């Protein structure tokens, strides 16, 4: 695999050559962070095909990395060092086929759930990439509980699925049997009305985070769809994938600004890094982010690669 070391240090200001945006801890003490570039993968085509506009990644509890290779209509599996393990998929609408897959979640430690956008379904696989089942909306279900063109999917610690319903600009929840339970965030949701939701992340505290590219903000709802708050305005531009880390940071792929932004538990930005380019540490349309073992995996879509970083906090500077 490709390995380089790149150290980035700064104090809450962007640096043009290799950007890190470190944050304020809330009482005006400046915190310094160091971002270390570790490696990028894959370094060669997978089964004779290079990555093509990949749109999502997820990491299971063992550290295996699953990548939605959207342009090639397939799902790839790597180990945590970036070595290729397995792949499935081709263009189509049958089992183990996809038409513009856009998201994936691997939180349960048992299953994968893939948002198959143009096929208007959620596909379920085991961690060895064996097909298990399909979730789709039936015409017999009332309109408020249907979904179309799913752009995002996540699963809660209770085993319930949350889906970004791109057709209706809302979130739909499926219960543990796969039946639709409720929808929220649509045109009659007041301050919680979504404009163009693309990804969803359910936190360990059962709060639902939604990246909205229409409003360039992250929306927060409780587990039952009640609106709580929103944040990221004047910071984010075209936010896409988002992921809560084990140390309680929310990492967001800030695609329009070609960077990654991390927020703390109070939804304040604490650091960010990246700039447009193809060198290590730079991005071209970063669309997703995942964390494992104190490392941050960034899906650098237009550069057709995954970049892996390690982020550490250094001493405070007053």
């Amino acid at each position: 695999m490709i390995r380089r070391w790149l150290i980035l240090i700064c104090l809450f200001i962007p640096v043009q050559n290799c950007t890190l945006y470190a944050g304020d801890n809330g009482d005006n003490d400046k915190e310094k962070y160091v971002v270390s570039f570790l490696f990028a993968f894959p370094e060669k085509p997978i089964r004779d095909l290079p990555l093509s506009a990949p749109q999502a990644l997820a990491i299971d509890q063992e550290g295996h990395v699953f990548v939605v290779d959207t342009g090639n209509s397939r799902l790839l599996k790597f180990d945590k060092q970036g070595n290729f393990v397995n792949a499935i998929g081709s263009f189509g609408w049958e089992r183990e086929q996809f038409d513009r897959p856009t998201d994936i979640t691997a939180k349960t430690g048992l299953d994968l759930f893939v948002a198959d956008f143009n096929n208007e379904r959620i596909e379920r696989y085991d961690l060895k990439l064996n097909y298990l089942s399909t979730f789709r909306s039936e015409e017999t279900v009332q309109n408020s509980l249907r979904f179309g063109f799913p752009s995002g999917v996540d699963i809660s610690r209770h085993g319930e699925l949350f889906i970004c319903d791109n057709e209706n600009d809302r979130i739909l929840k499926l219960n543990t049997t796969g039946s639709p339970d409720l929808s929220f965030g649509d045109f009659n949701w007041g301050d919680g009305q979504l404009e163009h939701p693309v990804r969803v992340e359910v936190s360990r505290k059962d709060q639902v985070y939604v990246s909205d590219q229409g409003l360039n903000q992250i929306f927060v709802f409780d587990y039952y769809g009640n609106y709580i708050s929103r944040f990221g305005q004047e910071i984010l531009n075209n936010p896409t994938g988002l992921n809560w880390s084990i140390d309680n940071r929310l990492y967001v792929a800030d695609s329009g600004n070609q960077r990654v932004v991390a927020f703390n538990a109070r939804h304040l930005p604490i650091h960010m890094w990246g700039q447009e380019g193809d060198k290590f540490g730079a991005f071209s349309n970063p669309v997703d982010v995942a964390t494992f073992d104190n490392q941050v995996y960034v899906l650098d879509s237009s550069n057709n690669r995954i970049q892996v970083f390690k982020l550490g906090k250094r001493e405070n500077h007053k």
Side-chain angles (χ1 to χ4, degrees):
M1 76 203 64
I2 303 170
R3 290 188 180 272
R4 298 290 188 273
W5 286 93
L6 180 64
I7 305 297
L8 313 175
I9 306 175
C10 72
L11 291 176
F12 213 56
I13 54 172
V15 178
Q16 292 299 318
N17 292 330
C18 36
T19 306
L20 171 63
Y21 211 115
D24 192 304
N25 66 5
D27 59 3
N28 297 320
D29 284 345
K30 299 299 183 182
E31 296 182 327
K32 181 180 287 189
Y33 290 86
V34 179
V35 175
S36 302
F37 169 80
L38 300 180
F39 61 94
F41 67 94
E43 63 177 349
K44 60 183 179 181
I46 303 299
R47 294 182 177 172
D48 298 323
L49 290 174
L51 295 186
S52 176
Q55 293 299 302
L57 82 165
I59 303 177
D60 69 12
Q61 295 175 5
E62 300 299 320
H64 295 106
V65 182
F66 299 88
V67 178
V68 174
D69 186 13
T70 303
N72 291 316
S73 302
R74 62 182 180 173
L75 176 59
L76 308 177
K77 180 179 180 179
F78 301 87
D79 66 21
K80 61 184 177 182
Q81 288 83 29
N83 300 305
F84 172 68
V85 176
N86 195 11
I88 60 163
S90 60
F91 176 79
W93 49 89
E94 303 294 339
R95 291 186 180 183
E96 299 185 7
Q97 292 185 319
F98 304 102
D99 184 357
R100 195 185 165 194
T102 53
D103 198 17
I104 186 172
T105 184
K107 284 183 177 178
T108 67
L110 298 172
D111 302 326
L112 305 169
F113 296 87
V114 180
D116 190 7
F117 188 87
N118 283 336
N119 283 325
E120 299 189 77
R121 63 188 183 184
I122 304 296
E123 296 283 84
R124 180 186 175 200
Y125 293 85
D126 67 19
L127 297 181
K128 294 183 178 179
L129 304 187
N130 297 306
Y131 171 84
L132 296 176
S133 59
T134 296
F135 301 89
R136 56 163 39 100
S137 286
E138 303 294 337
E139 293 184 0
T140 55
V141 176
Q142 64 190 66
N143 288 334
S144 64
L145 294 178
R146 295 183 194 174
F147 70 88
F149 303 104
S151 61
V153 62
D154 198 22
I155 191 166
S156 74
R157 61 192 179 95
H158 309 290
E160 297 180 306
L161 287 176
F162 288 76
I163 300 168
C164 276
D165 175 10
N166 208 248
E167 183 172 47
N168 298 296
D169 293 324
R170 65 189 179 194
I171 304 299
L172 182 73
K173 181 166 81 75
L174 306 184
N175 62 27
T176 54
T177 68
S179 300
D181 199 36
L182 64 89
S183 64
F184 56 91
D186 57 11
F187 63 90
N188 61 353
W189 229 252
D191 290 340
Q193 180 179 343
L194 300 167
E195 185 170 306
H196 183 47
V198 292
R199 296 292 173 84
V200 58
E201 167 84 357
V202 185
S203 75
R204 288 180 293 275
K205 296 181 179 180
D206 291 337
Q207 292 186 332
V208 182
Y209 290 74
V210 181
S211 54
D212 190 314
Q213 291 188 340
L215 296 173
N216 292 319
Q217 297 177 28
I218 307 299
F219 280 68
V220 189
F221 301 87
D222 70 15
Y223 198 76
Y224 305 100
N226 298 302
Y227 170 72
I228 298 175
S229 64
R230 64 176 80 178
F231 61 95
Q233 50 267 56
E234 300 183 1
I235 298 173
L236 302 173
N237 179 16
N238 235 30
T240 312
L242 59 171
N243 178 254
W244 274 106
S245 67
I246 194 69
D247 57 356
N248 212 26
R249 295 170 179 163
L250 179 66
Y251 289 88
V252 179
D254 188 13
S255 304
N257 288 320
Q258 311 296 342
R259 64 187 180 186
V260 175
V261 181
F263 296 87
N264 64 17
R266 293 178 295 161
H267 306 152
L268 300 174
I270 54 174
H271 47 266
M272 55 189 78
W273 76 96
Q275 63 174 13
E276 187 170 10
D278 58 6
K279 298 183 182 300
F280 298 129
F283 305 114
S284 181
N285 192 27
V287 294
D288 207 359
V289 60
T291 57
F292 181 80
D293 196 22
N294 296 317
Q295 295 180 354
V296 182
Y297 291 69
V298 181
L299 185 59
D300 189 11
S301 182
S302 295
N303 284 325
N304 293 310
R305 65 188 180 188
I306 298 93
Q307 296 193 65
V308 185
F309 302 87
K310 187 170 184 178
L311 182 66
K313 188 173 74 172
R314 300 185 69 183
E315 72 278 2
N316 287 345
H317 289 257
K318 295 186 178 182

